Amino acid sequence: MKLALDAIASLTGGNLIFGDPSKQIFGVAALSDATSEDASFLGNEKYFSDFLNTSAGLVLVPPGLPKVPEGVALIEVANPSMAFNELVKFFLSSSAAFTPGIHPTAVIDPTATLNADKVRIGAHTCIGAHAVIGDGCDIGNGCDIGDGVIMGENCKLHANVVIRERCKLGNRVVIQPGAVIGSDGFGFLLNEQGKYVGIDQVGIVELGDDVDVGANTTIDRARFGRTIIGEDTKIDNLVQIGHNVVIGKHCVIVSQSGIAGSTKVGDYVTIAAQSGIAGHLKIGDKAVLAAKTGVNTDLEGGATYWGTPVAPFKEACKQYAAIRKLPELIKELNAIKRMFKDSEQ
């Protein structure tokens, strides 16, 4: 598959400022790896040196660069990273076109609802009773779709995904390999005999439209009711979301973070890597949790937080700076104590 420069400018909404409009591009690559047949992009000033030395046939660039490489076609766009993503989608869709079909080793309950001419079901995948699979869904090898699961249209499940019984997926949901949606919530009670007894988890998980779930991430079903992931929220690999958690729309949750049961997270919240949020809390809209933040209290929206226990970001930075000074301050204090002790003698 190939695309001419003028077509790329049209696709990305950019302006071709240098290069032959009819020149053909055959793929995409990083600035340092690209050949004369590849397109690349300059999305971060850290890669400006790679940009000046690139062999790419085309580079998507922001407006007003002070210096450019010789002989490289350039298209100015407002957001090179976003524009490059549109170009990647073009080449990806061209090389991996969706082909409907059901692998002969798939096991599909006769009461399940799906259109065999409009879905793709991989090898050794199981689909349970009364499940509903929307048109355009692409379910990879070894997936397990439980009884009563409802999937919207154009969902993409990679290999070995588990969707447990009665959970619901919106349209265009993408789930990476090994993720588990609807596992039991972590609920136990200590009985009179001193033994932990499991609490039945009878709720479901509901994923909104355009949700992405990373590899080996787990989202627990509600004890009752729903665990909810809002529209367009993006969840990284190795994230744990507990029972009855509600995540708002357009959130980002980064790897190795965990959210305990019944916590409510607002819209447009960013939770950076290795953050932990205790249960039954509320996180306001557009809050940002920096990496390794430990949250043990409700947080207002529109602010950035850090630290364990959590604090507003600037305050947390001051606390951290003060802690780093403690060894030196202790030495000074001990020296003063010795001085007073010597003076008393």
Side-chain angles (χ1 to χ4, degrees):
M1 182 58 65
K2 58 186 178 180
L3 203 59
L5 295 188
D6 56 355
I8 293 175
S10 178
L11 176 67
T12 60
N15 178 33
L16 180 62
I17 59 172
F18 180 79
D20 178 359
S22 63
K23 175 182 172 63
Q24 302 290 327
I25 294 296
F26 294 84
V28 292
L31 287 167
S32 57
D33 300 329
T35 71
S36 60
E37 295 185 337
D38 295 323
S40 191
F41 75 108
L42 177 63
N44 189 314
E45 61 183 13
K46 292 181 180 179
Y47 300 98
F48 195 75
S49 177
D50 289 343
F51 168 62
L52 294 179
N53 294 284
T54 189
S55 298
L58 166 69
V59 181
L60 303 173
V61 298
L65 289 177
K67 188 177 182 181
V68 298
E70 294 184 4
V72 177
L74 302 174
I75 292 178
E76 284 188 344
V77 290
N79 188 329
S81 182
M82 189 71 72
F84 186 72
N85 192 51
E86 292 301 314
L87 197 54
V88 170
K89 286 181 179 180
F90 170 83
F91 285 108
L92 184 63
S93 63
S94 301
S95 61
F98 176 78
T99 304
I102 298 176
H103 195 276
T105 63
V107 179
I108 302 175
D109 190 277
T111 63
T113 300
L114 56 86
N115 187 335
D117 295 327
K118 294 185 177 181
V119 299
R120 179 161 60 185
I121 310 296
H124 304 291
T125 282
C126 295
I127 299 178
H130 304 291
V132 178
I133 310 299
D135 291 349
C137 284
D138 187 354
I139 301 176
N141 299 333
C143 293
D144 191 334
I145 312 301
D147 296 347
V149 166
I150 297 175
M151 293 175 56
E153 296 182 350
N154 301 310
C155 294
K156 171 69 173 178
L157 272 57
H158 292 270
N160 300 316
V161 168
V162 175
I163 311 292
R164 278 192 50 184
E165 62 274 13
R166 298 180 288 106
C167 292
K168 297 180 180 179
L169 279 61
N171 300 316
R172 300 174 300 279
V173 171
V174 177
I175 304 181
Q176 298 295 329
V180 179
I181 310 300
S183 49
D184 281 353
F186 190 69
F188 297 90
L189 292 175
L190 193 64
N191 66 14
E192 294 178 354
Q193 290 73 42
K195 181 180 179 180
Y196 281 105
V197 178
I199 300 172
D200 291 335
Q201 308 288 309
V202 298
I204 65 169
V205 173
E206 185 171 315
L207 307 183
D209 292 347
D210 301 301
V211 166
D212 281 52
V213 178
N216 295 320
T217 280
T218 54
I219 304 175
D220 290 348
R221 67 194 311 106
R223 181 180 179 185
F224 43 80
R226 299 176 295 166
T227 300
I228 299 174
I229 310 298
E231 172 189 339
D232 194 45
T233 283
K234 310 303 183 184
I235 303 174
D236 197 1
N237 305 331
L238 298 170
V239 170
Q240 159 64 17
I241 296 177
H243 55 212
N244 290 95
V245 167
V246 176
I247 306 293
K249 301 177 181 179
H250 314 292
C251 296
V252 173
I253 305 174
V254 186
S255 182
Q256 298 182 15
S257 292
I259 304 174
S262 298
T263 282
K264 292 178 170 57
V265 176
D267 298 337
Y268 292 98
V269 172
T270 298
I271 301 173
Q274 296 186 336
S275 292
I277 304 176
H280 305 275
L281 299 178
K282 293 182 179 180
I283 310 298
D285 295 348
K286 299 183 179 180
V288 176
L289 308 184
K292 296 188 176 182
T293 295
V295 182
N296 59 354
T297 185
D298 293 347
L299 297 178
E300 294 184 1
T304 300
Y305 301 91
W306 183 43
T308 302
V310 66
F313 186 77
K314 290 184 178 179
E315 180 182 334
C317 288
K318 291 178 181 178
Q319 293 173 359
Y320 182 71
I323 290 172
R324 289 174 64 91
K325 294 178 181 178
L326 279 178
E328 180 181 344
L329 292 174
I330 291 173
K331 287 182 180 179
E332 292 179 2
L333 178 60
N334 288 335
I336 293 172
K337 288 169 65 177
R338 286 194 299 269
M339 181 179 67
F340 276 104
K341 186 176 180 180
D342 293 342
S343 64
E344 291 174 355
Q345 294 175 352

